[in-house]
């Protein structure tokens, strides 16, 4: 569902800002460093996770503010979402839906948010961890309970690693219980990733290929086996390594440029950007079909990195696909768009463009 109102309080460069966008394109223009990406980051916090920058909560509070921050939004349909921190607990995130306290993961039931930033342009040539986190965001948009499985798996793994580091105090029964929890939630993680890759692959194959090159997807790194038994057998190895060596936290998203039959990481920077855009667009359409609500898309500086033909193709493909927030330094980049909510961002202020 689109946002009809976004309110920022002591967030990043904003003491206070209110934005009331329409349901389609939302265009934010302004100089570099004006605070456009900060607005996208605020919207990204309306979904589970650490937002598009992956920053610590303490970094999001305005440096000259009291120490906490707030992000509130009204969704079409009169649902109110709010998240932020208190000055007395700057690293403890709070969430409210319609005024009632709830968990961060509950946000995924109300809204899905996807984003592309310039830092992601080399995603396919970067680390496996970055690709895994990207994949998990794709899964989360389709299966909101994915965040709960991920949190429980990570908590059990941290507890197991701590016990293995102190063998004299390691209770075998407690270790077995932690490993059973890792197996339960780890298999759920791996299966959800596999489902998403399969359905997304079908969506990409069905999408027009003339605008953005097709990508083929697969999972590498770890196959779902009897994880509890493997963890039990590898306690000594994991203790020596100081970490858990086997499990879904070792998986990687493998992407292939179909036409060139080569790993996406070997493609040019422009081709990687186009592959990523095609993947995200197909996924957004899949989410809208499966969940009955289009995800909110956040595209940071996306137009500046595309040639005019591909830029026009992007705008055409996005038109009528839900709420799309885009940033850029030049309003002319977005001139081909017809109807849009246009805002100018300057010095911590947001006004009509």
């Amino acid at each position: 569902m689109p946002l009809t109102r976004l309110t920022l309080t002591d967030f990043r460069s904003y003491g206070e800002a209110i934005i009331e966008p329409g349901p389609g394109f939302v265009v934010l223009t302004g100089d570099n460093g004006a605070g456009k990406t900060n607005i996208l980051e605020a919207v990204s916090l309306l979904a589970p996770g650490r937002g598009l920058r992956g920053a610590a909560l303490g970094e999001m509070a305005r440096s000259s503010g009291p120490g906490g921050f707030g992000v509130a939004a009204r969704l079409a349909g009169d649902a109110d979402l709010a998240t932020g921190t208190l000055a007395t607990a700057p690293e403890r995130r709070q969430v409210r839906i319609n005024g009632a306290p709830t968990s961060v993961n509950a946000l995924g039931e109300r809204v899905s948010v996807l984003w592309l930033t310039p830092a992601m342009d080399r995603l396919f040539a970067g680390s496996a961890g970055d690709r895994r986190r990207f994949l998990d965001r794709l899964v989360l948009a389709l299966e909101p309970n994915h965040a709960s499985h991920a949190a429980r798996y990570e908590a059990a793994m941290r507890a197991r690693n701590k016990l293995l580091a102190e063998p004299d105090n390691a209770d075998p029964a407690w270790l077995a219980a932690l490993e059973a929890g890792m197996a339960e939630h780890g298999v759920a993680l791996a299966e959800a990733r596999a489902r998403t890759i399969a359905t997304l692959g079908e969506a990409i194959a069905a999408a027009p290929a003339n605008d953005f090159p097709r990508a083929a997807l697969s999972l590498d790194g770890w196959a779902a086996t009897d994880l509890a038994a493997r963890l039990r057998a590898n306690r000594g190895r994991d203790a020596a390594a100081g970490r858990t060596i086997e499990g879904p936290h070792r998986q990687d998203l493998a992407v292939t440029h179909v036409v060139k039959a080569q790993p996406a990481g070997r493609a040019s920077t422009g081709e990687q950007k186009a592959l990523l855009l095609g993947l995200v667009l197909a996924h957004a359409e899949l989410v809208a079909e499966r969940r009955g609500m289009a995800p909110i898309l956040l595209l940071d500086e996306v137009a500046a990195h595309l040639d005019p033909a591909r830029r026009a193709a992007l705008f055409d493909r996005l038109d009528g696909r839900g709420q799309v927030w885009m940033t850029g330094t030049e309003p002319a980049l977005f001139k081909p768009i017809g109807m849009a909510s246009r805002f100018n961002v300057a010095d911590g202020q947001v006004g009509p463009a």
Side-chain angles (χ1 to χ4, degrees), residues 276-311:
L276 187 58
L277 266 170
L279 192 161
V280 169
L281 291 173
H283 179 259
E285 292 160 3
L286 177 62
V287 172
E289 176 188 334
R290 290 295 179 89
R291 295 191 61 183
M293 62 178 186
I296 296 172
L297 286 178
L298 310 177
L299 304 179
D300 194 16
E301 299 289 351
V302 67
H305 301 281
L306 299 175
D307 59 52
R310 192 157 277 165
R311 195 184 307 147

Short mmCIF file of all heavy atoms in Angstrom, two decimals, residues 276-311:
data_model
loop_
_atom_site.label_atom_id
_atom_site.label_comp_id
_atom_site.label_asym_id
_atom_site.label_seq_id
_atom_site.Cartn_x
_atom_site.Cartn_y
_atom_site.Cartn_z
N LEU A 276 20.30 -6.02 -12.49
CA LEU A 276 19.72 -5.81 -11.17
C LEU A 276 18.36 -5.14 -11.28
O LEU A 276 17.40 -5.51 -10.58
CB LEU A 276 20.68 -4.98 -10.32
CG LEU A 276 20.34 -4.78 -8.85
CD1 LEU A 276 20.20 -6.12 -8.13
CD2 LEU A 276 21.41 -3.93 -8.17
N LEU A 277 18.25 -4.15 -12.14
CA LEU A 277 16.96 -3.48 -12.32
C LEU A 277 15.90 -4.45 -12.85
O LEU A 277 14.77 -4.47 -12.36
CB LEU A 277 17.13 -2.32 -13.30
CG LEU A 277 17.39 -0.94 -12.70
CD1 LEU A 277 17.77 0.05 -13.78
CD2 LEU A 277 16.19 -0.46 -11.91
N GLY A 278 16.27 -5.25 -13.84
CA GLY A 278 15.32 -6.21 -14.38
C GLY A 278 14.85 -7.19 -13.31
O GLY A 278 13.67 -7.55 -13.25
N LEU A 279 15.78 -7.62 -12.47
CA LEU A 279 15.46 -8.56 -11.39
C LEU A 279 14.48 -7.93 -10.40
O LEU A 279 13.47 -8.53 -10.01
CB LEU A 279 16.75 -8.99 -10.71
CG LEU A 279 16.76 -10.16 -9.72
CD1 LEU A 279 18.19 -10.67 -9.55
CD2 LEU A 279 16.20 -9.77 -8.38
N VAL A 280 14.79 -6.70 -9.98
CA VAL A 280 13.95 -6.01 -8.98
C VAL A 280 12.57 -5.70 -9.55
O VAL A 280 11.55 -5.83 -8.86
CB VAL A 280 14.66 -4.74 -8.47
CG1 VAL A 280 13.70 -3.88 -7.65
CG2 VAL A 280 15.87 -5.11 -7.63
N LEU A 281 12.51 -5.28 -10.80
CA LEU A 281 11.22 -4.99 -11.41
C LEU A 281 10.35 -6.24 -11.51
O LEU A 281 9.14 -6.21 -11.20
CB LEU A 281 11.42 -4.39 -12.80
CG LEU A 281 12.03 -2.98 -12.84
CD1 LEU A 281 12.33 -2.59 -14.27
CD2 LEU A 281 11.10 -1.97 -12.19
N ALA A 282 10.94 -7.37 -11.92
CA ALA A 282 10.19 -8.61 -11.99
C ALA A 282 9.71 -9.04 -10.60
O ALA A 282 8.59 -9.53 -10.43
CB ALA A 282 11.05 -9.71 -12.62
N HIS A 283 10.56 -8.83 -9.61
CA HIS A 283 10.19 -9.20 -8.24
C HIS A 283 9.05 -8.33 -7.73
O HIS A 283 8.12 -8.83 -7.08
CB HIS A 283 11.41 -9.08 -7.33
CG HIS A 283 11.11 -9.43 -5.90
ND1 HIS A 283 10.92 -8.46 -4.94
CD2 HIS A 283 10.97 -10.62 -5.26
CE1 HIS A 283 10.68 -9.05 -3.78
NE2 HIS A 283 10.70 -10.35 -3.95
N ALA A 284 9.11 -7.03 -8.01
CA ALA A 284 8.05 -6.13 -7.57
C ALA A 284 6.70 -6.55 -8.17
O ALA A 284 5.67 -6.54 -7.49
CB ALA A 284 8.38 -4.69 -7.95
N GLU A 285 6.72 -6.93 -9.43
CA GLU A 285 5.49 -7.38 -10.08
C GLU A 285 5.01 -8.70 -9.48
O GLU A 285 3.80 -8.94 -9.33
CB GLU A 285 5.74 -7.51 -11.58
CG GLU A 285 5.96 -6.15 -12.25
CD GLU A 285 6.67 -6.23 -13.59
OE1 GLU A 285 6.95 -7.37 -14.05
OE2 GLU A 285 6.96 -5.18 -14.18
N LEU A 286 5.96 -9.57 -9.11
CA LEU A 286 5.60 -10.84 -8.49
C LEU A 286 4.97 -10.61 -7.11
O LEU A 286 3.97 -11.25 -6.76
CB LEU A 286 6.84 -11.72 -8.36
CG LEU A 286 6.68 -13.06 -7.67
CD1 LEU A 286 5.71 -13.95 -8.44
CD2 LEU A 286 8.04 -13.75 -7.53
N VAL A 287 5.54 -9.69 -6.33
CA VAL A 287 4.99 -9.39 -5.00
C VAL A 287 3.56 -8.86 -5.14
O VAL A 287 2.66 -9.26 -4.39
CB VAL A 287 5.88 -8.36 -4.26
CG1 VAL A 287 5.21 -7.89 -2.98
CG2 VAL A 287 7.24 -8.97 -3.95
N ALA A 288 3.36 -7.94 -6.08
CA ALA A 288 2.02 -7.39 -6.27
C ALA A 288 1.02 -8.49 -6.61
O ALA A 288 -0.12 -8.49 -6.13
CB ALA A 288 2.06 -6.33 -7.38
N GLU A 289 1.44 -9.45 -7.43
CA GLU A 289 0.55 -10.54 -7.82
C GLU A 289 0.29 -11.50 -6.66
O GLU A 289 -0.86 -11.89 -6.42
CB GLU A 289 1.19 -11.32 -8.98
CG GLU A 289 0.41 -12.54 -9.42
CD GLU A 289 1.18 -13.38 -10.42
OE1 GLU A 289 2.04 -12.82 -11.13
OE2 GLU A 289 0.92 -14.59 -10.50
N ARG A 290 1.33 -11.86 -5.92
CA ARG A 290 1.20 -12.88 -4.87
C ARG A 290 0.52 -12.34 -3.61
O ARG A 290 -0.25 -13.03 -2.96
CB ARG A 290 2.57 -13.43 -4.52
CG ARG A 290 3.20 -14.29 -5.62
CD ARG A 290 2.39 -15.56 -5.85
NE ARG A 290 2.93 -16.40 -6.90
CZ ARG A 290 3.83 -17.35 -6.70
NH1 ARG A 290 4.29 -17.59 -5.48
NH2 ARG A 290 4.27 -18.08 -7.71
N ARG A 291 0.86 -11.09 -3.23
CA ARG A 291 0.35 -10.55 -1.97
C ARG A 291 -0.83 -9.61 -2.15
O ARG A 291 -1.44 -9.17 -1.17
CB ARG A 291 1.47 -9.83 -1.21
CG ARG A 291 2.59 -10.75 -0.75
CD ARG A 291 3.53 -10.05 0.21
NE ARG A 291 2.85 -9.62 1.41
CZ ARG A 291 3.44 -8.92 2.39
NH1 ARG A 291 4.72 -8.59 2.28
NH2 ARG A 291 2.77 -8.55 3.46
N GLY A 292 -1.13 -9.30 -3.40
CA GLY A 292 -2.27 -8.41 -3.65
C GLY A 292 -1.98 -6.97 -3.31
O GLY A 292 -2.91 -6.16 -3.20
N MET A 293 -0.72 -6.61 -3.10
CA MET A 293 -0.36 -5.22 -2.85
C MET A 293 1.04 -4.97 -3.43
O MET A 293 1.95 -5.78 -3.24
CB MET A 293 -0.38 -4.88 -1.36
CG MET A 293 0.60 -5.65 -0.51
SD MET A 293 0.52 -5.13 1.22
CE MET A 293 1.90 -6.06 1.94
N ALA A 294 1.17 -3.90 -4.16
CA ALA A 294 2.46 -3.59 -4.76
C ALA A 294 3.43 -3.12 -3.69
O ALA A 294 3.05 -2.36 -2.79
CB ALA A 294 2.29 -2.50 -5.82
N PRO A 295 4.68 -3.53 -3.75
CA PRO A 295 5.67 -3.03 -2.80
C PRO A 295 6.00 -1.57 -3.08
O PRO A 295 5.86 -1.10 -4.22
CB PRO A 295 6.89 -3.93 -3.03
CG PRO A 295 6.78 -4.32 -4.47
CD PRO A 295 5.30 -4.45 -4.73
N ILE A 296 6.44 -0.87 -2.07
CA ILE A 296 6.98 0.48 -2.26
C ILE A 296 8.40 0.33 -2.77
O ILE A 296 9.22 -0.37 -2.17
CB ILE A 296 6.94 1.27 -0.95
CG1 ILE A 296 5.49 1.48 -0.49
CG2 ILE A 296 7.65 2.61 -1.11
CD1 ILE A 296 5.36 2.09 0.88
N LEU A 297 8.71 0.98 -3.89
CA LEU A 297 10.05 0.91 -4.47
C LEU A 297 10.81 2.19 -4.17
O LEU A 297 10.27 3.29 -4.34
CB LEU A 297 9.97 0.71 -5.98
CG LEU A 297 9.57 -0.67 -6.49
CD1 LEU A 297 9.51 -0.66 -8.01
CD2 LEU A 297 10.54 -1.73 -6.02
N LEU A 298 12.05 2.04 -3.74
CA LEU A 298 12.94 3.17 -3.46
C LEU A 298 14.13 3.08 -4.40
O LEU A 298 14.93 2.14 -4.30
CB LEU A 298 13.42 3.14 -2.01
CG LEU A 298 12.34 2.95 -0.93
CD1 LEU A 298 12.99 2.86 0.45
CD2 LEU A 298 11.33 4.09 -0.97
N LEU A 299 14.24 4.00 -5.33
CA LEU A 299 15.28 3.97 -6.35
C LEU A 299 16.15 5.21 -6.20
O LEU A 299 15.77 6.31 -6.63
CB LEU A 299 14.66 3.89 -7.74
CG LEU A 299 13.69 2.72 -7.97
CD1 LEU A 299 13.11 2.78 -9.38
CD2 LEU A 299 14.37 1.39 -7.72
N ASP A 300 17.30 5.04 -5.59
CA ASP A 300 18.18 6.17 -5.28
C ASP A 300 19.13 6.45 -6.45
O ASP A 300 19.94 5.59 -6.81
CB ASP A 300 18.99 5.83 -4.02
CG ASP A 300 19.67 7.04 -3.42
OD1 ASP A 300 19.29 8.18 -3.77
OD2 ASP A 300 20.58 6.86 -2.58
N GLU A 301 19.02 7.65 -7.01
CA GLU A 301 19.89 8.09 -8.12
C GLU A 301 19.86 7.10 -9.29
O GLU A 301 20.85 6.93 -10.00
CB GLU A 301 21.34 8.26 -7.62
CG GLU A 301 21.51 9.30 -6.52
CD GLU A 301 21.34 10.73 -7.00
OE1 GLU A 301 21.24 10.93 -8.23
OE2 GLU A 301 21.27 11.63 -6.16
N VAL A 302 18.75 6.47 -9.53
CA VAL A 302 18.69 5.43 -10.56
C VAL A 302 18.71 6.01 -11.97
O VAL A 302 19.32 5.45 -12.89
CB VAL A 302 17.45 4.53 -10.36
CG1 VAL A 302 16.16 5.31 -10.60
CG2 VAL A 302 17.51 3.31 -11.25
N ALA A 303 18.08 7.15 -12.19
CA ALA A 303 17.96 7.69 -13.55
C ALA A 303 19.29 8.17 -14.10
O ALA A 303 19.56 8.08 -15.30
CB ALA A 303 16.94 8.84 -13.56
N ALA A 304 20.16 8.68 -13.22
CA ALA A 304 21.43 9.24 -13.68
C ALA A 304 22.35 8.18 -14.27
O ALA A 304 23.28 8.50 -15.00
CB ALA A 304 22.12 9.95 -12.53
N HIS A 305 22.13 6.92 -13.96
CA HIS A 305 23.02 5.84 -14.39
C HIS A 305 22.47 5.07 -15.58
O HIS A 305 23.02 4.03 -15.94
CB HIS A 305 23.29 4.90 -13.22
CG HIS A 305 23.92 5.57 -12.04
ND1 HIS A 305 25.25 5.88 -11.99
CD2 HIS A 305 23.39 6.03 -10.89
CE1 HIS A 305 25.52 6.48 -10.84
NE2 HIS A 305 24.41 6.58 -10.15
N LEU A 306 21.40 5.60 -16.20
CA LEU A 306 20.80 4.92 -17.34
C LEU A 306 20.82 5.84 -18.56
O LEU A 306 20.67 7.06 -18.44
CB LEU A 306 19.35 4.53 -17.03
CG LEU A 306 19.11 3.57 -15.87
CD1 LEU A 306 17.61 3.40 -15.63
CD2 LEU A 306 19.77 2.23 -16.11
N ASP A 307 20.98 5.23 -19.74
CA ASP A 307 20.89 6.04 -20.96
C ASP A 307 19.43 6.42 -21.18
O ASP A 307 18.51 5.84 -20.58
CB ASP A 307 21.47 5.28 -22.15
CG ASP A 307 20.75 3.96 -22.41
OD1 ASP A 307 19.50 3.96 -22.52
OD2 ASP A 307 21.43 2.91 -22.50
N PRO A 308 19.15 7.44 -22.02
CA PRO A 308 17.77 7.92 -22.18
C PRO A 308 16.77 6.84 -22.57
O PRO A 308 15.64 6.83 -22.08
CB PRO A 308 17.90 8.99 -23.28
CG PRO A 308 19.30 9.50 -23.13
CD PRO A 308 20.13 8.29 -22.74
N ALA A 309 17.17 5.91 -23.45
CA ALA A 309 16.24 4.87 -23.89
C ALA A 309 15.87 3.94 -22.74
O ALA A 309 14.69 3.61 -22.54
CB ALA A 309 16.85 4.08 -25.03
N ARG A 310 16.87 3.54 -21.97
CA ARG A 310 16.59 2.63 -20.86
C ARG A 310 15.86 3.36 -19.73
O ARG A 310 15.05 2.77 -19.02
CB ARG A 310 17.90 2.01 -20.37
CG ARG A 310 17.69 0.85 -19.40
CD ARG A 310 18.89 -0.06 -19.38
NE ARG A 310 18.87 -1.02 -20.46
CZ ARG A 310 19.94 -1.74 -20.84
NH1 ARG A 310 21.09 -1.57 -20.23
NH2 ARG A 310 19.84 -2.60 -21.82
N ARG A 311 16.15 4.65 -19.58
CA ARG A 311 15.43 5.44 -18.58
C ARG A 311 13.95 5.51 -18.93
O ARG A 311 13.08 5.33 -18.06
CB ARG A 311 16.04 6.84 -18.54
CG ARG A 311 15.64 7.67 -17.31
CD ARG A 311 16.22 9.08 -17.42
NE ARG A 311 17.65 9.02 -17.67
CZ ARG A 311 18.32 9.90 -18.40
NH1 ARG A 311 17.69 10.90 -18.99
NH2 ARG A 311 19.63 9.79 -18.54
#
